[in-house]
Amino acid sequence: MVSVDLDSLPSGPLSMTALVSLEPAPLRRLLKSGLRRGMASSDLASLLADDWQCSLDSPEAQALLAALQERGWLGRDGDLWKTKLG
Amino acid sequence: MAHILAIHSFRGGTGKSNLTANLAASLALKGKRVAVFDTDLASPGVHVLFGFSPAAGQSTLNDHLQGEAPIVDCAHDVTPEQVKQAHGRIWLVPASMDSNRIARLLREGYQVEKLNDALFALSEKLNLDVVLIDTHPGINEETLLSTAITDCLLMVMRPDTQDYLGTAVAIEVAERLDVPAIRMVVNKLPEHFDQEQVRERVASSYDVPIGALLPLSDDLLTLASGGLAVLTYPTHPWSERVRALADNLLDTVL
């Protein structure tokens, strides 16, 4: 699993400016993948496996998704995961 | 799903809108269904190339981003006759030219996510092949979004030192956003410039493929944005290189 300090992520709505400055790169890629039409759970699972070396149902991935959802950066839109810009 | 092509420059005056409109026509001449979004909301202009001006009651992108107008109502068919004969179509989503609307947009802003959703909703509604985004120069929320969602970023610049420096910044941002494909377009290249030297300088500056070197053209200056060069002057070197760029994009990234 790619190391990311979830507590250090800024709070508040996500802007594109903030997205560009986020580290590490896999976090930017995850949120970028939620733009356009959004991503299906299978796409998210593939991205997590390839980029983060973890499975969607792993505790680490669930903690990551929870942190993003708590900030309102990522949410479910029907069957899709979508990045929410403030 | 339609491919997204963002046409961007770090500085103004590069001929970005002119290139966008002529690329749209070149792609449509290949039978493609194309939409052009004018996201240069502070200083719109691409509509002029298509001879379009929103009449009273016709919706613009502003009416969708800051109002309730469905995005499909903001898309206007501007297909020239020659393009119709080639079975292509062009829709334009213009930005408002009303000074009050521009001021309101700058004052109040809008949800940039709405622009993202509008691009994909329209592409589905009109069964589009390609969506071209004519961006605002420089870096702001819209241009960052356009960069993030594009399948290919065309970076337009003049052979000018300020453009070289600014373009490097824009490309660095694009690389942070993992843009799948980037192409450099050098526009307004004076006749006396050595093309090979320019090509080498661009290649060594950015390590990004060159899409086209487009000459500075008196004919285009004479046209003064009053039409599409690829239709008015189809055999002009500028037009030929724009069509070659469109062909290359279709072959490689679209």
Side-chain angles (χ1 to χ4, degrees):
Chain A
M1 170 87 180
V2 173
S3 172
V4 55
D5 180 2
L6 298 175
D7 294 332
S8 71
L9 293 177
S11 56
L14 181 68
S15 65
M16 282 305 303
T17 315
L19 193 158
V20 170
S21 63
L22 285 173
E23 295 291 353
L27 181 57
R28 291 197 301 275
R29 281 196 285 274
L30 191 161
L31 290 166
K32 180 192 155 175
S33 299
L35 294 171
R36 296 173 63 112
R37 270 298 187 206
M39 55 185 158
S41 289
S42 57
D43 297 327
L44 176 59
S46 298
L47 187 145
L48 288 168
D50 294 345
D51 234 5
W52 295 79
Q53 290 80 50
C54 67
S55 65
L56 178 54
D57 53 6
S58 67
E60 295 89 349
Q62 290 301 311
L64 171 65
L65 296 175
L68 299 179
Q69 287 180 288
E70 278 170 19
R71 284 166 175 75
W73 295 0
L74 191 68
R76 298 299 293 264
D77 188 355
D79 293 337
L80 299 173
W81 290 86
K82 281 208 76 181
T83 296
K84 308 287 184 185
L85 298 172
Chain B
M1 189 185 289
H3 286 93
I4 309 290
L5 182 60
I7 298 93
H8 186 46
S9 63
F10 189 79
R11 298 177 67 226
T14 59
K16 177 173 54 64
S17 297
N18 201 5
L19 177 63
T20 302
N22 280 281
L23 259 181
S26 301
L27 293 167
L29 282 168
K30 294 283 183 181
K32 299 298 180 188
R33 297 168 66 85
V34 178
V36 176
F37 273 70
D38 191 350
T39 66
D40 192 353
L41 297 156
S43 48
V46 71
H47 60 282
V48 177
L49 279 298
F50 293 106
F52 178 85
S53 186
Q58 282 189 308
S59 298
T60 64
L61 183 56
N62 303 58
D63 296 306
H64 179 73
L65 297 178
Q66 288 197 304
E68 299 300 321
I71 190 61
V72 72
D73 290 353
C74 307
H76 306 282
D77 191 334
V78 293
T79 314
E81 192 53 42
Q82 290 150 277
V83 173
K84 281 181 188 164
Q85 288 170 14
H87 308 293
R89 293 281 292 275
I90 305 174
W91 287 270
L92 173 67
V93 181
S96 175
M97 282 293 284
D98 181 292
S99 58
N100 291 323
R101 298 300 307 278
I102 295 172
R104 184 186 155 205
L105 190 121
L106 295 176
R107 189 174 60 245
E108 299 174 6
Y110 67 94
Q111 288 282 331
V112 72
E113 193 177 334
K114 208 167 176 182
L115 176 61
N116 174 76
D117 295 342
L119 289 160
F120 292 94
L122 189 70
S123 74
E124 277 181 16
K125 192 85 177 170
L126 298 179
N127 193 24
L128 298 171
D129 296 306
V130 186
V131 175
L132 292 93
I133 309 174
D134 185 19
T135 68
H136 184 65
I139 293 175
N140 63 17
E141 284 291 300
E142 291 107 51
T143 59
L144 289 173
L145 175 70
S146 301
T147 302
I149 65 175
T150 194
D151 293 295
C152 178
L153 177 69
L154 281 186
M155 279 301 308
V156 189
M157 60 175 286
R158 290 157 298 192
D160 170 282
T161 301
Q162 291 185 56
D163 278 21
Y164 275 105
L165 294 173
T167 300
V169 175
I171 288 181
E172 186 184 336
V173 169
E175 287 173 343
R176 280 187 70 80
L177 288 168
D178 291 295
V179 175
I182 308 174
R183 297 287 184 274
M184 294 301 309
V185 175
V186 181
N187 196 17
K188 303 185 177 182
L189 186 63
E191 195 176 351
H192 64 275
F193 272 43
D194 183 322
Q195 289 194 22
E196 275 315 302
Q197 277 188 0
V198 172
R199 194 177 285 277
E200 282 171 19
R201 183 172 177 190
V202 170
S204 64
S205 298
Y206 309 122
D207 195 23
V208 166
I210 296 173
L213 298 180
L214 303 174
L216 182 64
S217 162
D218 286 342
D219 295 323
L220 255 66
L221 292 173
T222 306
L223 195 56
S225 299
L228 297 166
V230 292
L231 301 180
T232 309
Y233 303 116
T235 59
H236 190 282
W238 193 93
S239 303
E240 289 178 342
R241 291 184 200 179
V242 170
R243 286 203 310 278
L245 173 61
D247 289 346
N248 178 264
L249 292 171
L250 286 171
D251 288 344
T252 57
V253 292
L254 298 180

